[in-house]
Amino acid sequence: MEAEKLKKVIEAARLYYLLDYNQHQIADKLGISRPTVSRLLQIAKNEGIVQIKIMDPNDDVEQLSKQIEKKFNLKKAIVVSVPQYEDNIIKNYIGEKAAAYMHDIVKDGDIIGVTWGTTLYHVALELKQKFVKDVKVVQLKGAISHSETNTYFSEILYLFGKAFNTNPIHLPLPAIVDHIVVKQAMEADRHIKKVLDIGREANIAMFTIGAAKSESLLFQLGYFSEEDMRMIRSKGVGDICSRFFDQDGNILNENLNNRTLGIELSELKQKEYSILVAGGAQKIDGIYGALKGGYANVIVIDQFTAKFLLDRDE
């Protein structure tokens, strides 16, 4: 942004938000039109020059954050106040907070591993550009399928790469294959191996939980046999990076796990930042299992789901 324009944006924001001028008064003072004032104020919000917070005394999210951190031994819990317990609303709110957290922690030379799905897409949409150098963004699990269902993997990688000034590294594979030997053959390719190795080296990983339900995105991609589906529904509570686990965070089925392409859940435990972004009624069991398994050291979650997690063992 040009220095002169930035100066006007800041001055308009200061007059409006700190000195209680109305837009007509600002227009007169700065010698510009009222629509121009409106545009300057919008720019101030879009660029983060003005950040508006509504503090609800009925929702002590700070206290919930501390309780979640203590219960699950986390580096950080970000509990987000949402107005309604509905999936789309939750994804919008936690996506914004997760994007802000990612913006805060990324530094020169970081390697960021990301997965796909609608929750991560909401995060990607909210990312603001940060001028860092030598950052890599890599896809942590396969996403190619024969289904027409959109996984948003290409959009997510593009938006993460754009935010951190890098060309993202794709993993052009399905998430799950029918036979272990097929997976082994794919991983033996030196190009694929290089991408997988970069994912293992990532110091930041951001992912979500897939619910172990037929309406979940992963189930719509045509990866599973009927036998797989029955097994997942009987004991599974969710998946991370297409790897399913039970209520205690244990891998659900070794055969299925061995046919899955991408980062291992055990490798997530080694990350400097292993960030789980998830919320909503259908994901409570999955989030609980993931935290019991120790796969995340940071969580971004809504206040309703946080309360359910805290009450679960009571």
Side-chain angles (χ1 to χ4, degrees):
M1 193 186 306
E2 295 174 3
E4 191 60 32
K5 185 176 182 181
L6 178 61
K7 185 178 177 182
K8 280 192 174 181
V9 168
I10 293 170
E11 183 60 21
R14 184 179 290 114
L15 290 169
Y16 188 77
Y17 290 104
L18 296 181
L19 300 178
D20 290 326
Y21 278 55
N22 63 39
Q23 293 190 19
H24 287 291
Q25 291 170 323
I26 296 170
D28 290 340
K29 186 172 181 64
L30 299 183
I32 55 179
S33 66
R34 197 203 60 76
T36 300
V37 173
S38 181
R39 283 195 295 273
L40 293 175
L41 294 174
Q42 189 61 48
I43 290 170
K45 286 196 285 186
N46 292 345
E47 295 297 321
I49 294 166
V50 169
Q51 298 181 11
I52 299 172
K53 292 184 178 180
I54 299 174
M55 305 306 293
D56 183 353
N58 297 317
D59 263 327
D60 190 2
V61 292
E62 289 298 324
Q63 185 62 28
L64 284 173
S65 297
K66 291 184 177 70
Q67 291 173 324
I68 290 287
E69 288 169 2
K70 183 178 180 181
K71 179 170 182 174
F72 296 104
N73 193 30
L74 299 176
K75 176 184 289 189
K76 188 170 184 63
I78 300 169
V79 178
V80 184
S81 180
V82 300
Q84 288 178 270
Y85 202 41
E86 293 181 11
D87 285 348
N88 285 338
I89 292 173
I90 292 168
K91 288 173 183 178
N92 280 330
Y93 277 76
I94 65 176
E96 181 181 359
K97 291 294 186 183
Y101 181 70
M102 180 66 80
H103 185 274
D104 287 344
I105 65 172
V106 171
K107 62 187 184 304
D108 293 351
D110 280 342
I111 303 176
I112 306 166
V114 295
T115 60
W116 42 257
T118 53
T119 302
L120 266 291
Y121 183 53
H122 279 82
V123 177
L125 287 172
E126 296 291 342
L127 285 171
K128 290 183 171 57
Q129 192 166 22
K130 185 171 185 177
F131 294 101
V132 285
K133 295 182 289 187
D134 303 320
V135 168
K136 292 178 183 177
V137 171
V138 62
Q139 184 179 336
L140 289 179
K141 67 170 181 173
I144 306 299
S145 79
H146 298 297
S147 167
E148 294 182 2
T149 304
N150 192 356
T151 62
Y152 299 99
F153 79 92
S154 59
E155 294 95 329
I156 291 165
L157 284 167
Y158 167 75
L159 290 167
F160 268 81
K162 181 182 177 185
F164 302 114
N165 312 299
T166 187
N167 292 318
I169 303 165
H170 292 250
L171 183 62
L173 299 173
I176 300 168
V177 293
D178 289 338
H179 304 286
I180 294 172
V181 291
V182 175
K183 174 192 170 182
Q184 291 169 338
M186 289 178 171
E187 290 182 335
D189 179 88
R190 63 190 175 93
H191 302 291
I192 298 300
K193 183 178 184 301
K194 183 178 179 181
V195 176
L196 292 170
D197 285 345
I198 294 171
R200 294 185 185 104
E201 293 166 9
N203 62 307
I204 301 173
M206 180 171 276
F207 51 90
T208 189
I209 292 281
K213 299 180 185 296
S214 56
E215 60 269 26
S216 180
L217 178 58
L218 189 60
F219 283 78
Q220 299 172 35
L221 299 178
Y223 290 132
F224 301 116
S225 67
E226 282 299 320
E227 184 181 350
D228 290 335
M229 298 277 274
R230 283 195 297 272
M231 179 269 298
I232 292 168
R233 288 198 198 100
S234 66
K235 294 182 179 178
V237 296
D239 81 277
I240 294 172
C241 298
S242 303
R243 298 185 186 276
F244 285 87
F245 49 87
D246 63 20
Q247 61 183 358
D248 295 314
N250 300 313
I251 291 294
L252 187 61
N253 180 279
E254 283 300 331
N255 178 269
L256 178 60
N257 193 58
N258 289 335
R259 289 159 38 209
T260 303
L261 287 146
I263 196 164
E264 297 277 354
L265 293 189
S266 58
E267 292 168 333
L268 292 175
K269 297 181 179 183
Q270 314 305 318
K271 304 299 183 190
E272 179 184 3
Y273 295 98
S274 186
I275 308 164
L276 170 58
V277 187
Q282 291 197 13
K283 297 190 176 184
I284 294 169
D285 291 341
I287 295 168
Y288 185 84
L291 294 178
K292 288 278 283 185
Y295 302 129
N297 57 29
V298 176
I299 190 170
V300 185
I301 192 173
D302 66 273
Q303 86 273 24
F304 298 109
T305 305
K307 289 173 183 175
F308 283 125
L309 292 175
L310 291 171
D311 292 342
R312 185 170 175 121
D313 296 330
E314 299 287 324

